[in-house]
């Protein structure tokens, strides 16, 4: 690998990393503001204008609290639990395409950490690993409530991963590529997958709620039954890492949803904007500004889904555990298989017919 | 030594070390965690061999699902304190003899193995990619592939039958 290419890749990965962290940080602020709006109160408004410095204040508080480890806990695993949760949450953002390309001095830089031809499988693998942080932390606490929370998290993640994978297969059948960059590029010109896969989208969205342990599926930390769930024994920044990992997971899954179903950085009238900009500002500057607009659109979509997560959290009550399992195994998995069959039939029979009709 | 080779040696060392720790660690939870680490290093070997699909599937299926179930069961049973079963010296000696014999047999078998040398001119670096793997599976090996899927279906039906509640069995 050339040195310049190496430096560019390093910078891209750093930018992706920092962006993920900043967005997750301000999601905590956003969540409290949304909660305040829905419950008809102000939300945080003391630290900084509009409470904008609240995440920094929270982080400061978390860092300066006593770092407590229970006497009978397994010390190393107790520390590695939150670390693993953060690690697996941050890994997934590496393959997300945030925009098309930047032109700089004749070179094209792709706005994506790693372009991999198994991108979606990578994301799926990282999601599958996400449960280890919770399981290890919950077990190492040496507390029955923590253990129950950890076991709930494990069985919930395994159950919903199946339906999630099956709903992804329908997307892969349409795009015939596993690369996230290709999947986004194919949705150019209004061909967003949501129009072809509405059922798959609903299944995927439900499963991502369950994978992120968000309400209505936040049974691993159900405080009415399990005190605090898997993080009962945690305090200070270790608890902060668990909560922060949840927000990072939310951002990553929102980004994945907008990449897979809502066209990523594509937006209506994109070609017109691109032509106008390149005609007015030249092929380099115009191209870069068009890319920036696309990236802005991408983040707009992702932020909307983060808002959607919060909206649902403050609207719906929590499911009961047997309801959760019944929904996962008896409703979502058969629906996802049905969706695959319908997609296969449409790709085989309907698509040649429509293409012949249009030409 | 080129970087790939040194990376291979480092990865192999890590693989063997974590595999040994699986059987040497006293705590069953630690054993499972070392086994997960072993799967990761094996996936690293697959990536070195340019078999990315296999690496990803190895992580998803083994590290992501099966090991979670292992951990789940061990946590549920809570086998924290080790119950030393009746291990008298006779069983220890017998185990040592059997293990040593297997090691000698394997060593003797592998020592004489000749690995076919790869020809750099005809070697196709894309052979482990998902496209070529899919084409191979669905063209040349379609019948074994379908038979394997039927086997999995039978296993799935069996699991559902075992997990089904009998009539009259109490809910708990």
């Amino acid at each position: 690998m050339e040195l310049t290419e190496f430096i560019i890749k390093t910078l891209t990965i750093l930018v992706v990393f920092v962006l993920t962290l900043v967005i997750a940080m301000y999601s905590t602020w956003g969540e409290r503001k949304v909660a305040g709006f829905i419950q008809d109160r102000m939300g945080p408004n003391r630290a900084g204008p509009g409470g904008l410095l609240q995440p920094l204040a929270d982080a400061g508080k978390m860092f300066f609290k006593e770092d407590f480890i229970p006497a009978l806990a397994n010390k190393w695993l107790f520390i590695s639990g939150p670390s693993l949760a953060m690690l697996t949450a941050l890994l997934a953002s590496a393959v997300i395409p945030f925009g098309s390309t930047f032109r700089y001095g004749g070179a094209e830089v792709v706005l994506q950490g790693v372009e991999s031809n198994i991108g979606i499988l990578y994301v799926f693998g990282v999601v599958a690993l996400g449960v280890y942080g919770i399981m290890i932390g919950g077990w190492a606490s040496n507390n029955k409530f923590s253990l129950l929370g950890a076991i709930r998290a494990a069985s919930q993640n395994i159950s919903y991963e199946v339906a999630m994978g099956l709903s992804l297969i329908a997307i892969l059948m349409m795009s015939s590529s596993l690369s996230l960059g290709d999947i986004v590029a194919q949705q150019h010109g209004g061909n967003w997958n949501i129009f072809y896969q509405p059922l798959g989208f609903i299944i995927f969205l439900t499963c991502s709620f369950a994978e992120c342990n968000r309400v209505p599926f936040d049974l691993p930390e159900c405080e009415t039954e399990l005190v605090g769930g898997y993080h009962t024994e945690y305090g200070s920044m270790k608890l902060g890492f668990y909560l922060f990992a949840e927000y990072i997971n939310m951002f990553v899954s929102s980004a994945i949803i907008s990449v897979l179903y809502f066209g990523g950085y594509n937006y209506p009238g994109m070609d017109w904007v691109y032509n106008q900009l390149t005609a007015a500002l030249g092929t380099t500057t115009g191209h870069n500004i068009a890319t920036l607009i696309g990236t802005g659109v991408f983040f707009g979509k992702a932020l909307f889904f983060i808002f959607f997560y919060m909206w649902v959290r403050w609207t719906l009550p929590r499911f009961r555990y047997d309801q959760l399992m019944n929904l996962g195994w008896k409703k979502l998995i058969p629906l996802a298989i049905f969706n695959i069959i319908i997609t296969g039939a449409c790709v085989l029979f309907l698509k040649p017919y429509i293409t012949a009709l249009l030409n | 030594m080129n970087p790939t080779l040194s990376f291979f040696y480092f990865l192999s060392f890590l693989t063997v070390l974590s595999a040994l720790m699986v059987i040497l660690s006293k705590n069953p939870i630690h054993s499972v965690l070392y086994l997960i680490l072993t799967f990761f290093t094996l996936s690293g070997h697959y990536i070195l061999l340019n078999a990315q699909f296999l690496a990803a599937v190895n992580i998803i299926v083994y590290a992501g699902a099966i090991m979670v179930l292992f951990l789940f069961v061990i946590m549920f049973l809570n086998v924290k304190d080790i119950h030393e079963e009746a291990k008298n010296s006779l069983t220890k000696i017998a185990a040592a003899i059997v293990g040593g014999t297997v090691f000698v047999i394997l060593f003797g078998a592998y020592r004489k193995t000749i690995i076919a040398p790869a020809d750099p001119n005809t070697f196709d670096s894309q052979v482990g990619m998902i496209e070529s793997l899919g084409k191979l599976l669905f063209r040349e090996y379609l019948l074994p592939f379908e038979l394997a899927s039927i086997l999995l279906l039978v296993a799935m039906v069996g699991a559902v039958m075992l997990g089904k509640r009998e009539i009259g069995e109490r809910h708990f």
Side-chain angles (χ1 to χ4, degrees), chain A residues 167 170-171 174 193-202 261 339 343:
Chain A
S167 68
I171 288 275
M174 287 182 52
N193 278 332
I194 176 75
F195 303 127
Y196 303 101
Q197 292 284 343
L199 185 60
F201 166 67
I202 292 169
Y261 290 96
N339 189 33
T343 310

Side-chain angles (χ1 to χ4, degrees), chain A residues 269-351:
Chain A
M270 192 180 171
D271 290 328
W272 183 81
V273 172
Y274 183 80
N275 288 333
Q276 293 291 317
L277 279 172
T278 43
L281 297 165
T283 44
T284 311
T285 327
H287 178 88
N288 286 349
I289 291 176
T291 303
L292 273 183
I293 295 173
T295 311
V297 168
F298 172 79
F299 278 107
K301 287 170 186 170
L303 289 181
F304 171 75
F305 279 102
I306 294 181
F307 168 70
F308 188 74
Y309 272 98
M310 295 166 184
W311 188 8
V312 168
R313 172 166 179 181
W314 299 104
T315 311
L316 290 185
R318 189 179 283 133
F319 274 55
R320 226 171 47 219
Y321 201 69
D322 59 324
Q323 289 173 333
L324 170 91
M325 282 295 154
N326 278 340
L327 180 72
W329 287 101
K330 291 185 182 164
K331 303 209 172 58
L332 288 183
I333 291 177
L335 265 181
I337 292 173
F338 175 71
N339 189 33
I340 288 176
I341 293 170
I342 294 285
T343 310
C346 287
V347 168
L348 257 185
F349 304 118
L350 206 61
K351 200 175 159 193

Side-chain angles (χ1 to χ4, degrees), chain A residues 71-242:
Chain A
L72 288 175
N74 188 325
K75 194 180 165 209
W76 285 106
L77 292 183
F78 190 77
I79 295 170
S80 69
S83 321
L84 274 174
M86 277 296 272
L87 177 76
T88 48
L90 282 167
L91 273 175
S93 58
V95 292
I96 297 170
F98 288 94
S100 58
T101 54
F102 256 127
R103 280 194 191 137
Y104 181 74
E108 296 242 340
V109 180
V110 185
L111 281 186
Q112 186 178 11
V114 185
E115 166 61 36
S116 162
N117 65 347
I118 52 158
I120 192 72
L121 281 181
Y122 173 84
V123 172
F124 197 61
V126 171
V127 166
L129 296 175
V131 72
Y132 280 119
I134 295 175
M135 280 192 89
I136 290 171
W139 180 79
S141 304
N142 202 8
N143 172 333
K144 288 211 168 63
F145 292 117
S146 301
L147 182 66
L148 277 173
I151 283 172
R152 278 187 173 187
S155 48
Q156 174 178 331
N157 272 40
I158 288 182
S159 312
Y160 278 77
E161 244 161 51
V162 181
M164 193 183 212
L166 288 174
S167 68
L168 276 178
I169 285 174
I171 288 275
L172 300 184
M173 282 163 78
M174 287 182 52
S175 65
S176 60
S177 168
L178 289 170
S179 153
L180 286 174
D182 283 357
I183 291 176
V184 175
Q186 281 172 10
Q187 299 180 51
H188 182 73
N191 283 318
W192 292 3
N193 278 332
I194 176 75
F195 303 127
Y196 303 101
Q197 292 284 343
L199 185 60
F201 166 67
I202 292 169
I203 296 167
F204 190 87
L205 188 70
T206 317
C207 293
S208 55
F209 271 90
E211 295 284 328
C212 293
N213 295 323
R214 290 287 294 184
V215 177
F217 304 118
D218 68 334
L219 288 140
E221 44 192 306
C222 170
E223 67 272 0
T224 48
E225 296 161 16
L226 294 180
V227 193
Y230 60 88
H231 53 56
T232 306
E233 297 284 351
Y234 279 91
S236 83
M237 204 54 204
K238 292 206 280 297
L239 173 70
F241 274 162
Y242 268 130

Side-chain angles (χ1 to χ4, degrees), chain B residues 16-78:
Chain B
V16 173
L17 185 74
S18 50
L20 277 176
M21 287 310 284
V22 174
I23 49 172
L24 290 181
S25 47
K26 294 263 182 204
N27 192 330
I29 298 273
H30 289 175
S31 284
V32 172
L33 294 179
Y34 279 117
L35 194 52
I36 295 164
L37 191 64
T38 314
F39 283 127
F40 269 96
T41 49
L42 283 179
S43 273
H45 281 296
Y46 288 139
I47 288 173
L48 275 186
L49 294 168
N50 219 358
Q52 301 177 358
F53 179 68
L54 210 54
V57 168
N58 186 39
I59 292 292
I60 294 172
V61 174
Y62 284 98
I66 292 180
M67 293 326 288
V68 174
L69 286 177
F70 267 52
L71 213 55
F72 188 87
V73 170
I74 289 175
M75 283 177 182
F76 239 146
L77 299 178
N78 211 10

